[in-house]
Amino acid sequence: MDFPIFDPRDSRCKQPFGAVPCAAEVTLTLRPLASEHFKSCTLIAYGEFANEHRTFPLEKIGNDVEHTIFSGSYTVFAEPELIWYSFRFERADGSVVYLGKNGYCNEGEAVCWQQTVYDDTHKTPDWFGRGVTYQIFPDRFYRTSIPDPAGMTGERVVHQRWNELMEYLPDENGIIHNRDFFGGNLAGIVEKLPYLESLGVTTLYLCPIFEADSNHRYNTGDYEKIDPMLGTEEDFKNLCDEAHKRGMRVMLDGVFNHTGNNSRYFNALGQYPTLGAAQSKDSPYYDWYHFHNWPNTYDSWWGIHTLPAVNESHSDYIDYIIENENSIIRRWLRAGADAWRLDVADELPDDFIRGIRTAMMQEKKDSFLLGEVWEDGSNKIAYSQRRKYLLGHETHGLMNYPFRVSAMDYLRGGDARWFMESMETIRENYPPEAFHSCMNMLGTHDNPRILTMLGTFPKEAPPTRTERAEYRMTDGEKFRGWRLLGIGAIVLYCFPGSPTIFYGDEAGMEGYEDPFNRGTFPWGEEDQLLQNHFSQLGRLRNERKSMQRGSLRWLLAEEHTLAFERKYEDEVTVAITNVGDEEVVVSVDWSGDLATDALTGQQFLAQNGKVTMQLDALDGVILI
């Protein structure tokens, strides 16, 4: 194998791999061609947060026939940092050339490499990344009775039949209110815990459960109250107790960037007894919001007037949500929650997120904080500010949308090398604990159903909302989607981070964008084969430490074929997938004499340290 001039992912060039703790020592080795006649090499490092440039000369330690070898170690910044680095070479004649990700270039043209420096003194709870997460949209999962909305906030309509089509057309003003409810409740989740246990679920991620007059409840009305259609605080405590008995933890959705306009804090509709910010400037909540022309115009989330944005830097709001002894963060942890997921984390100030983590650690030491970020969270810029989500003081982990995007591309015919490259970028940039604490997913409440996306591709979605509402996949589309989802699940469950199921994906639910992706769970009409596949994967994930916390090594990433190894101590698991329409012959490293596909029981003999198999089109195996 050729030795590159410099590749930070190659242990011969950089040690240790990827992100490092504060004040760690990093060793770099470069091997430019001897014909370049370089006499010296200097590392140029810029610490973005410290706004400080540093240079470190590397020692010329020798030559081989074709290369000059420069090597040396440097100590990274003592505080959490993003370092951007490149190299400067000088020749004996005084000429200078720079080396960056874009190769040799002139001064100022080098594309720098990233070195993440994080504080490792506060350890990340490892239970989340090891286990299986199940995302529940509470109104649509399971109901124990048909609720009566009388006396509840808003103008709620309840569907009498569980399998009815949700309301999806806008009103005469072009607004979709999301005020039709099916009545899924917390007691229903408790009743279905044995089912979730059969899937190997270890974390329940609940979309918002606090009082709100929409079925999605991202427009919070009262942070202190469970929505009465879902149940009571006692019902929530009971859910947590029953989940804990089965080894499951509960994650709540914290929507702290905005409230509903129909809330006890804003109270634009006057449905709460409290004096809201939209009712009087004397309201204790008035300063939580930023009005342009009180009370009619104000900052809101993405300009949606029903979602007035909150000033997260206001001391009263910080005290209410975070710091008070009975703050929202603390009281629901005491009630039984084990984790918080921060909705639209990009909209929350770093100090606010840091405060949440501090309060969580004080209240429940092994609680877990997850952030909703759609890009690489190590270098994300939001509102012109570089964010610090993963540097040791804010979130423990993030929703891994880069995984979803690259996995979707691969499953729909993209090159496996792009998936590998995308995930290697994340692995290199994230602290190891954060990488293993990602929430990996294929489907969420913000995207069309994964089965629909895989089965109908590349066909365009029907043009009208009514056509999309009524569309049902053909048998051929459903079969292809089924096979690709099965493959995607293999990658999902074998990859580092918590494999996450959006409720009903394992049952074969289909549908385009919101609200069509938020149908009711098809109890009694599930796709049993797909469910069995997810149950089998859940069992494997919970049984095999290599799948939970093992190292990652890529074995093959070429066109439609992907293979990677997870290893923990002496236990090895290898995932191999083929998303192409033709069978392929695959050969991978194997240290034993025999490999078994954990999904089918089929066995393969190893010869000369290799297992060779013929993998069918649209198929995958998990070798153990």
Side-chain angles (χ1 to χ4, degrees), residues 300-365:
S300 59
W301 185 72
W302 284 41
I304 301 173
H305 80 278
T306 57
L307 301 175
V310 176
N311 177 10
E312 303 96 340
S313 298
H314 193 278
S315 58
D316 286 349
Y317 187 69
I318 293 172
D319 188 61
Y320 179 71
I321 296 294
I322 302 172
E323 294 184 353
N324 187 282
E325 176 61 26
N326 293 311
S327 70
I328 299 305
I329 292 296
R330 297 175 189 273
R331 66 165 291 176
W332 292 109
L333 289 175
R334 285 200 295 268
D338 305 281
W340 283 96
R341 177 254 191 194
L342 297 181
D343 184 59
V344 293
D346 289 343
E347 315 278 345
L348 302 174
D350 283 311
D351 287 345
F352 189 83
I353 299 176
R354 183 170 181 158
I356 289 176
R357 174 159 167 172
T358 299
M360 291 176 65
M361 297 303 100
Q362 292 171 348
E363 193 64 45
K364 185 175 286 189
K365 191 173 183 179

Side-chain angles (χ1 to χ4, degrees), residues 337-471:
D338 305 281
W340 283 96
R341 177 254 191 194
L342 297 181
D343 184 59
V344 293
D346 289 343
E347 315 278 345
L348 302 174
D350 283 311
D351 287 345
F352 189 83
I353 299 176
R354 183 170 181 158
I356 289 176
R357 174 159 167 172
T358 299
M360 291 176 65
M361 297 303 100
Q362 292 171 348
E363 193 64 45
K364 185 175 286 189
K365 191 173 183 179
D366 67 341
S367 58
F368 185 87
L369 183 60
L370 181 83
E372 180 198 13
V373 177
W374 286 55
E375 299 84 10
D376 181 339
S378 70
N379 54 33
K380 177 69 185 289
I381 295 177
Y383 298 96
S384 302
Q385 287 191 336
R386 185 81 71 178
R387 303 307 301 268
K388 302 178 181 179
Y389 305 119
L390 299 176
L391 299 186
H393 299 141
E394 296 186 22
T395 60
H396 293 111
L398 300 176
M399 295 181 74
N400 197 354
Y401 274 96
F403 173 90
R404 181 185 178 276
V405 171
S406 55
M408 284 296 299
D409 181 79
Y410 168 61
L411 293 170
R412 298 201 293 190
D415 197 316
R417 283 174 291 189
W418 190 79
F419 175 80
M420 178 184 72
E421 173 63 26
S422 175
M423 290 301 95
E424 279 297 272
T425 298
I426 297 297
R427 187 166 76 101
E428 183 179 13
N429 289 349
Y430 283 24
E433 289 182 339
F435 179 69
H436 284 267
S437 296
C438 282
M439 174 187 275
N440 299 334
M441 65 280 180
L442 296 172
T444 76
H445 66 292
D446 287 322
N447 304 103
R449 283 284 172 177
I450 180 66
L451 193 66
T452 298
M453 293 189 72
L454 294 176
T456 62
F457 182 81
K459 184 171 70 176
E460 295 286 338
T464 69
R465 289 181 69 84
T466 296
E467 288 175 300
R468 295 196 295 278
E470 296 175 349
Y471 188 83

Side-chain angles (χ1 to χ4, degrees), residues 63-112:
N63 296 78
D64 59 23
V65 176
E66 297 182 349
H67 303 88
T68 304
I69 305 172
F70 296 93
S71 188
S73 300
Y74 79 105
T75 301
V76 301
F77 287 70
E79 297 295 327
E81 188 58 88
L82 273 189
I83 297 174
W84 303 99
Y85 68 96
S86 58
F87 301 93
R88 182 179 66 227
F89 291 104
E90 185 176 353
R91 298 186 177 95
D93 63 6
S95 61
V96 172
V97 66
Y98 292 80
L99 177 69
K101 294 169 70 174
N102 54 334
Y104 291 124
C105 53
N106 297 320
E107 184 176 5
E109 297 177 353
V111 177
C112 293

Side-chain angles (χ1 to χ4, degrees), residues 180-199:
D180 63 317
F181 292 77
F182 285 85
N185 55 19
L186 299 182
I189 299 174
V190 172
E191 191 167 319
K192 293 301 181 180
L193 285 177
Y195 166 70
L196 298 174
E197 190 174 19
S198 75
L199 293 174

Side-chain angles (χ1 to χ4, degrees), residues 4-32:
I5 297 175
F6 179 74
D7 179 357
R9 297 176 186 171
D10 190 322
S11 62
R12 298 171 298 177
C13 298
K14 177 179 180 289
Q15 291 190 38
F17 174 88
V20 297
C22 297
E25 187 175 84
V26 177
T27 300
L28 306 170
T29 301
L30 291 84
R31 290 168 62 98

